[in-house]
Amino acid sequence: MTTSLRNDLYRFTAEFGDVYDEVVKTGNRSHSFGHFIRKQIPSSILQHINSSVYKVEGSCGRGNWTPVPWVAVFDTRITSKASSGVYIVYLLNKDTKTLFLTLNQAATEEFSNETENRAFSNTVKSKNKKVLERLEINASHIRSVLGISKSASSEIDCGSPAYNAGCICYKKYTLSSFPSDSQIESDLAEYISIYEKYYDKFSSNKSIITDETEIKGGEIALEIKNSVERIKAYIASKGFSYDGSLIENFYLSMKTKPFVILAGTSGTGKTKLVRLFAEAIRANYKLVSVRPDWSDSSDLFGHVDLNGKFNEGVILSFVKDAEIHPNTPFFLCLDEMNLARVEYYLSDILSVIETREMTSDGRITTDPLVPAEVFGTDDKAKGKYGVVSLPDNLYIIGTVNMDETTFPFSKKVLDRANTIEFSYVDLVPDFSETGMEAKSQALSNDFLKTRYLILKQDCAEEAEYVTEKCEKLQAINEILKEADAHIGYRVRDEIVFYMLNNRKDGLLSEEEALDNEIMQKILPRVQGGNSAVKNMLLKLFVYLAGDYSGYADGKATYEQMRSFLENKGTSYPRSAEKIMYMVRRYEEDGFTSYWL
């Protein structure tokens, strides 16, 4: 039955306050007005919008009546629930009998109502203040990108501080000047158009294959291992072949810490891996080519010119968008990142990434990455971006080629990243799978977000396992000390986190996981031309593989190691083989390094 949307919204505005006062103690579940809000108004709205894209839901409270009832329109490509994302929502101030049509941000799970318990009242107030400030900054940024204003009238007052702060734009309806049917429908159409523009600017990725039967609110729930297999299938369907368990290793590396370095010969598919992985999980992706003249973070984030105007850097908007959309992974690929000194232009990120803390609700927060002072006196830029932190859904992947045109990495950089080496190249194409279809999957940031930040605090339940791995690392560290190449607590923690993530996700064997971490976190730090370095490498080979003496007698040490590996093998083949090549370089050149 066709109903008038205008009449339903008018009744909602005029009568809810009276109904609320009458029956607030008896609850709303069986009350006819509760049914009217939850069913009839959504049904009226659905007559004017595309039901295959949009979902409409009304709420007047869970059991008891809520002081601020609402009716929301969700674009299911963005979100399908009021606790996340951005959506259109009618909000009613029951006391003033004023209805607001808004494009708004979710905040219900972050914002707490004031408590009467003085023991934690100040904590709640402090948290609420930060939530409101973040919502206001985000709303300002979204308006700037969409090119819209908040409203021509006075400030919104819907009765909810969180919705007031999170409001991107709104229209105000009062009983004395309630719009006509045509105006109500026109206003809704206008906001659907703005919502579409928001989707295009912030949430769409038109190069990615979609399968709407799998998506619900932009997220799907699949087991990690199954999801990784589907990612591998998607990448393979694009014609790219990566050796063995490299995809699993890449995934675990990002989950351990959102800063990964991909190193290897030019043209081996490093940059393509980042792009295809992002496409496979429908993440947002940005490629930035590093310039040799970058010397500080102003090239990334921006600077104030001589006229006092702030000039935006190449990644600021991307980082801000990631902060606004915490459920969606964002991949930032820094191509040929060592054309400039990484520890110079990436110094702010390298420092702030060490300030990550896990909140009680599972979010990861950091110190400011871009403080307000960066914008100087440019109030427009300050209002657009606000204070920018390092969002937990931002994954930074750098690709590097080690040659005479690039800079070496400092230990400050290497200690903060997993360095994955690309050495496998198969030049013979496989045409047997031509035409194979593999679809991407929409995965939320939970798929990649780390479980661990502080070893003793976050890994207490795995104490026995952690101790076992740390004892093995301690034995390796004693060998590394001989050449002053030993690791510290940061590297220890990240190796343990990688091992724990792998154990929970069941992707690699224990030996393969540890082999990866020795290769990626320990060996890249080793270089030098004195005998202590060579002796250390020899002892490390024996510890990982076994005693190579007696194999290929009379030959160079690296040839004995090669013969040993061919005959005996090892549980840590990648690390042992890398050590063999590092020893070879030492014997031939009098100097060695991971970066052959």
Side-chain angles (χ1 to χ4, degrees):
M1 181 179 69
T2 302
T3 59
S4 166
L5 176 57
R6 187 266 182 196
N7 290 345
D8 286 346
L9 292 177
Y10 184 89
R11 181 187 172 196
F12 179 40
T13 306
E15 298 180 20
F16 179 79
D18 300 331
V19 173
Y20 178 91
D21 291 337
E22 291 172 5
V23 295
V24 66
K25 293 182 180 180
T26 63
N28 64 60
R29 284 298 174 193
S30 60
H31 197 279
S32 60
F33 206 83
H35 184 271
F36 168 73
I37 296 171
R38 285 190 288 267
K39 300 297 182 181
Q40 184 166 323
I41 299 177
S43 178
S44 295
I45 292 173
L46 283 170
Q47 295 172 18
H48 303 282
I49 61 178
N50 185 352
S51 60
S52 66
V53 175
Y54 299 103
K55 169 187 171 183
V56 185
E57 181 179 317
S59 176
C60 51
R62 298 179 178 177
N64 292 324
W65 297 87
T66 180
V68 184
W70 51 262
V71 181
V73 178
F74 304 110
D75 183 329
T76 55
R77 298 169 297 179
I78 300 171
T79 183
S80 61
K81 54 187 178 180
S83 59
S84 67
V86 168
Y87 46 88
I88 296 170
V89 59
Y90 290 93
L91 298 163
L92 176 62
N93 185 323
K94 65 178 179 58
D95 297 321
T96 62
K97 295 192 174 182
T98 305
L99 184 66
F100 297 91
L101 168 61
T102 75
L103 183 65
N104 225 306
Q105 304 171 73
T108 53
E109 292 183 354
E110 298 178 76
F111 188 85
S112 305
N113 291 322
E114 291 295 338
T115 176
E116 297 179 359
N117 187 336
R118 292 187 177 183
F120 59 96
S121 176
N122 289 334
T123 301
V124 171
K125 288 179 180 178
S126 176
K127 175 187 174 185
N128 283 350
K129 182 179 179 182
K130 291 180 180 179
V131 170
L132 296 181
E133 288 174 351
R134 178 176 60 79
L135 290 170
E136 289 173 349
I137 290 170
N138 289 350
S140 176
H141 175 68
I142 294 170
R143 283 194 293 272
S144 175
V145 172
L146 299 184
I148 60 175
S149 59
K150 189 171 184 179
S151 176
S153 59
S154 59
E155 278 299 303
I156 183 173
D157 180 17
C158 68
S160 164
Y163 275 128
N164 288 342
C167 179
I168 298 162
C169 56
Y170 73 93
K171 290 184 178 292
K172 180 179 178 180
Y173 304 145
T174 61
L175 292 179
S176 60
S177 57
F178 214 83
S180 64
D181 280 299
S182 60
Q183 187 61 53
I184 287 287
E185 293 166 14
S186 174
D187 289 347
L188 176 59
E190 177 188 346
Y191 269 58
I192 290 291
S193 177
I194 295 172
Y195 202 14
E196 274 290 325
K197 190 175 181 181
Y198 172 87
Y199 171 76
D200 289 337
K201 292 287 186 180
F202 290 101
S203 299
S204 68
N205 190 334
K206 293 179 173 55
S207 67
I208 293 176
I209 300 169
T210 59
D211 182 354
E212 297 299 337
T213 62
E214 293 183 320
I215 303 174
K216 186 175 183 181
E219 299 179 12
I220 57 175
L222 286 174
E223 293 292 332
I224 295 293
K225 195 165 186 176
N226 188 28
S227 295
V228 173
E229 286 300 320
R230 293 184 63 185
I231 292 169
K232 293 174 71 173
Y234 179 85
I235 292 173
S237 74
K238 299 301 179 180
F240 282 80
S241 175
Y242 293 100
D243 187 30
S245 57
L246 187 142
I247 305 298
E248 289 89 342
N249 183 21
F250 182 49
Y251 166 73
L252 288 169
S253 296
M254 285 192 292
K255 193 161 191 170
T256 298
K257 197 165 195 176
F259 177 39
V260 178
I261 297 173
L262 304 181
T265 306
S266 179
T268 51
K270 301 184 294 295
T271 305
K272 199 66 177 181
L273 170 62
V274 185
R275 183 182 187 91
L276 290 176
F277 196 105
E279 287 184 7
I281 65 171
R282 303 182 195 168
N284 283 288
Y285 171 82
K286 183 177 181 65
L287 175 67
V288 174
S289 296
V290 173
R291 292 174 53 89
D293 59 348
W294 287 3
S295 58
D296 58 45
S297 61
S298 64
D299 294 290
L300 294 180
F301 300 114
H303 66 279
V304 176
D305 63 21
L306 295 176
N307 297 317
K309 180 183 177 183
F310 178 76
N311 294 297
E312 180 184 335
V314 293
I315 72 169
L316 181 58
S317 288
F318 190 74
V319 175
K320 187 64 186 180
D321 289 347
E323 192 176 32
I324 293 172
H325 300 88
N327 292 327
T328 303
F330 279 66
F331 280 40
L332 174 63
C333 182
L334 299 175
D335 197 31
E336 297 194 61
M337 72 180 303
N338 59 333
L339 281 177
R341 287 197 175 276
V342 178
E343 63 271 24
Y344 289 177
Y345 71 84
L346 211 63
S347 59
D348 290 349
I349 290 177
L350 295 177
S351 297
V352 169
I353 202 171
E354 298 305 314
T355 69
R356 294 177 302 159
E357 293 182 348
M358 191 86 71
T359 64
S360 58
D361 59 357
R363 292 185 302 112
I364 297 175
T365 61
T366 69
D367 288 350
L369 180 61
V370 183
E373 295 77 33
V374 169
F375 306 106
T377 57
D378 191 335
D379 292 335
K380 183 178 179 180
K382 194 177 298 183
K384 180 178 179 180
Y385 300 108
V387 176
V388 182
S389 296
L390 185 66
D392 65 15
N393 58 328
L394 178 67
Y395 301 89
I396 303 169
I397 303 98
T399 68
V400 303
N401 302 315
M402 297 304 293
D403 55 36
E404 67 279 358
T405 68
T406 61
F407 291 96
F409 289 108
S410 68
K411 288 185 178 179
K412 176 181 180 180
V413 176
L414 294 174
D415 283 359
R416 288 163 169 80
N418 267 284
T419 302
I420 302 177
E421 185 180 49
F422 278 57
S423 57
Y424 172 79
V425 179
D426 184 357
L427 299 180
V428 180
D430 182 2
F431 292 103
S432 63
E433 295 181 340
T434 301
M436 179 187 69
E437 292 186 7
K439 294 181 178 179
S440 63
Q441 51 190 320
L443 297 178
S444 75
N445 190 51
D446 289 339
F447 175 67
L448 283 166
K449 189 168 73 173
T450 186
R451 302 179 176 104
Y452 311 104
L453 288 177
I454 301 174
L455 190 138
K456 283 192 174 181
Q457 175 180 301
D458 300 333
C459 307
E461 295 181 358
E462 305 279 355
E464 184 177 348
Y465 179 84
V466 170
T467 301
E468 175 192 333
K469 299 308 169 190
C470 288
E471 287 173 350
K472 188 177 286 288
L473 291 176
Q474 179 70 9
I476 293 173
N477 219 29
E478 290 299 318
I479 298 172
L480 297 172
K481 280 182 182 179
E482 297 187 16
D484 198 28
H486 50 290
I487 62 173
Y489 297 118
R490 181 188 294 115
V491 175
R492 176 205 66 180
D493 291 356
E494 290 175 15
I495 292 175
V496 170
F497 296 161
Y498 181 102
M499 299 296 294
L500 283 169
N501 279 319
N502 175 64
R503 189 185 191 205
K504 286 186 177 294
D505 297 338
L507 297 175
L508 308 173
S509 69
E510 287 286 309
E511 291 79 9
E512 186 175 6
L514 185 56
D515 190 18
N516 285 341
E517 284 301 87
I518 294 170
M519 182 77 169
Q520 295 166 192
K521 297 293 292 183
I522 293 177
L523 294 183
R525 309 169 79 256
V526 175
Q527 66 175 16
N530 56 53
S531 60
V533 172
K534 180 182 178 182
N535 291 334
M536 180 270 291
L537 288 172
L538 299 183
K539 290 183 178 180
L540 190 56
F541 183 92
V542 172
Y543 180 83
L544 295 176
D547 188 355
Y548 56 87
S549 61
Y551 292 84
D553 285 338
K555 299 288 186 178
T557 305
Y558 82 88
E559 290 181 340
Q560 295 179 51
M561 290 177 169
R562 182 194 296 277
S563 180
F564 174 86
L565 292 176
E566 289 174 351
N567 286 277
K568 300 290 289 185
T570 173
S571 297
Y572 310 104
R574 296 183 67 232
S575 299
E577 186 174 343
K578 187 68 175 181
I579 292 171
M580 178 190 75
Y581 284 118
M582 292 173 72
V583 169
R584 175 182 177 178
R585 182 176 180 186
Y586 183 92
E587 292 184 338
E588 292 178 348
D589 301 334
F591 178 88
T592 194
S593 166
Y594 173 90
W595 311 95
L596 298 174

